[in-house]
Amino acid sequence: MKEITVDVIIPVYRPGERFGELLKRLDAQTQPVNRYIIMNTEQAYWDRWLSETGYSLPENLSVFHVTRETFDHGATRDAGIRQSDAGICVCMTDDALPADQYLLENLVRGLTEKESTAVAYGRQLPDRDCGIIERYTRAFNYPEESRLKTREDLPELGIKTYFCSNVCAAYKRSVYLELGGFTKKTIFNEDMIFAAGAMERGYGVFYSAGARVIHSHNYSGIQQFHRNFDLAVSQADHPEVFSGIRSEGEGIRMVKQTAAFLVRSGKAYLISKLIYTSGCKYLGFLMGKRYRRLPRPVVLWCTMNKAYWGK
């Protein structure tokens, strides 16, 4: 049997202690990393990290520098994958930590068990400082059961059929190149857009519950607004994927289930916070869907990624 080679592609901006821990945990994986491909935004931050940590670059780690103005969620990751010659490319973010030494092994298994699988993505677990609402959201979006998804699941899963996350996702490089890779200009959602295109061509997307990373955020309501604005912009820019598939229904279901969970947990007093943050998400999403009607200064206030709008 042909040996499986795995390269890991990581966009990095202002690396810190967590990034060093990520590299350490990846080095300890049962599935060896053939090569690390680092897509670093702004060389000065990378040089500072090297100076402060004394980190010695291993021979299998390559760094490519881009500026904030040229960074793009799709194009930058695509450039990293095209630097690879491995059979499998794993995309990760610099703040996601493998929960154990079997992360890459489980991703590879999920990706290779069926020839028709194009991408496998992992389960995101809450970090120690994660609030109870976000903990439940993680459990809602990343259940304990693995699942292979295809276009036939659209009537049941709706928008979640296409869900995939480059926080931790493995791609068969040959299939990735066959399908043209990530869209080269996108503010968000390059992973879901690719997943939808793969399904259109008959491929499946595998959710590997056993491939676990620790990754969560305690976003404020305003941060949720900005994030969901950009999320909706990506949907508005790609009607070939998202038109006719409503996202709001899934969001309402999550809010209802989270509220019920808070009541059961004796945390009903947090429902007001849930309503506030959910309202911020929904308002950001509505405005993002209609961003073309908004004045440019309003768009620049709403977005998380101001550099994107200068392109």
Side-chain angles (χ1 to χ4, degrees):
M1 187 172 116
K2 186 178 178 182
E3 180 184 1
I4 294 174
T5 55
V6 175
D7 285 353
V8 180
I9 291 85
I10 312 173
V12 173
Y13 176 62
R14 293 194 177 187
E17 182 179 341
R18 196 172 179 93
F19 177 62
E21 180 65 20
L22 167 60
L23 294 177
K24 178 181 176 182
R25 295 192 188 191
L26 286 173
D27 277 340
Q29 293 291 299
T30 54
Q31 167 66 54
V33 176
N34 175 63
R35 186 178 171 210
Y36 297 97
I37 299 173
I38 308 301
M39 307 301 294
N40 177 69
T41 308
E42 305 298 352
Q43 184 167 353
Y45 296 130
W46 179 262
D47 293 342
R48 182 187 305 169
W49 180 74
L50 289 179
S51 174
E52 291 176 350
T53 62
Y55 184 77
S56 180
L57 297 181
E59 290 185 2
N60 67 335
L61 189 149
S62 302
V63 185
F64 302 90
H65 298 287
V66 298
T67 65
R68 290 189 69 185
E69 291 74 25
T70 57
F71 174 84
D72 183 276
H73 280 272
T76 302
R77 287 181 170 89
D78 179 79
I81 290 176
R82 291 177 191 276
Q83 290 290 340
S84 168
D85 59 3
I88 293 175
C89 290
V90 174
C91 290
M92 294 192 69
T93 55
D94 63 354
D95 61 346
L97 298 179
D100 55 40
Q101 67 268 41
Y102 305 108
L103 170 68
L104 297 183
E105 180 182 326
N106 285 325
L107 280 176
V108 169
R109 182 181 298 116
L111 187 61
T112 57
E113 278 189 348
K114 287 196 173 183
E115 188 177 347
S116 60
T117 304
V119 52
Y121 68 99
R123 182 184 182 192
Q124 297 183 33
L125 304 175
D127 212 338
R128 286 175 295 181
D129 65 348
C130 186
I132 187 172
I133 293 176
E134 177 64 14
R135 283 181 179 274
Y136 187 83
T137 300
R138 279 284 175 267
F140 181 89
N141 288 325
Y142 300 94
E144 295 181 355
E145 302 80 24
S146 298
R147 177 167 185 167
L148 179 66
K149 299 182 293 184
T150 67
R151 271 190 61 81
E152 283 66 44
D153 292 308
L154 275 168
E156 176 193 351
L157 298 179
I159 191 69
K160 291 189 80 170
T161 306
Y162 298 147
F163 185 74
C164 178
S165 176
N166 273 340
V167 165
C168 178
Y171 296 83
K172 287 177 182 170
R173 187 170 176 272
S174 59
V175 175
Y176 177 88
L177 296 176
E178 172 198 330
L179 298 178
F182 299 130
T183 181
K184 305 306 182 290
K185 184 180 187 299
T186 181
I187 194 169
F188 216 64
N189 263 346
E190 79 289 340
D191 33 29
M192 286 184 68
I193 294 165
F194 178 87
M199 288 184 185
E200 284 287 339
R201 299 279 291 273
Y203 289 100
V205 173
F206 187 74
Y207 165 60
S208 177
R212 304 178 305 149
V213 291
I214 300 167
H215 180 261
S216 59
H217 295 286
N218 291 313
Y219 286 137
S220 67
I222 293 300
Q223 288 172 317
Q224 294 282 18
F225 171 90
H226 293 316
R227 187 175 187 277
N228 277 266
F229 179 86
D230 288 355
L231 174 69
V233 167
S234 71
Q235 293 194 13
D237 282 347
H238 291 276
E240 76 282 2
V241 174
F242 298 105
S243 65
I245 305 177
R246 289 180 59 83
S247 301
E248 294 91 329
E250 187 67 14
I252 293 170
R253 188 169 75 90
M254 185 175 71
V255 172
K256 288 180 177 178
Q257 291 192 14
T258 306
F261 168 75
L262 292 173
V263 171
R264 292 195 307 271
S265 305
K267 306 282 187 181
Y269 61 90
L270 289 174
I271 290 178
S272 59
K273 180 180 180 180
L274 172 66
I275 293 171
Y276 166 68
T277 55
S278 300
C280 290
K281 288 181 182 179
Y282 187 56
L283 181 59
F285 187 82
L286 286 180
M287 293 183 69
K289 278 283 196 178
R290 297 159 177 79
Y291 81 90
R292 292 185 180 89
R293 306 177 193 174
L294 302 177
R296 183 175 175 82
V298 175
V299 170
L300 292 177
W301 184 88
C302 291
T303 185
M304 284 182 73
N305 186 3
K306 291 179 172 54
Y308 173 82
W309 300 94
K311 299 174 187 178

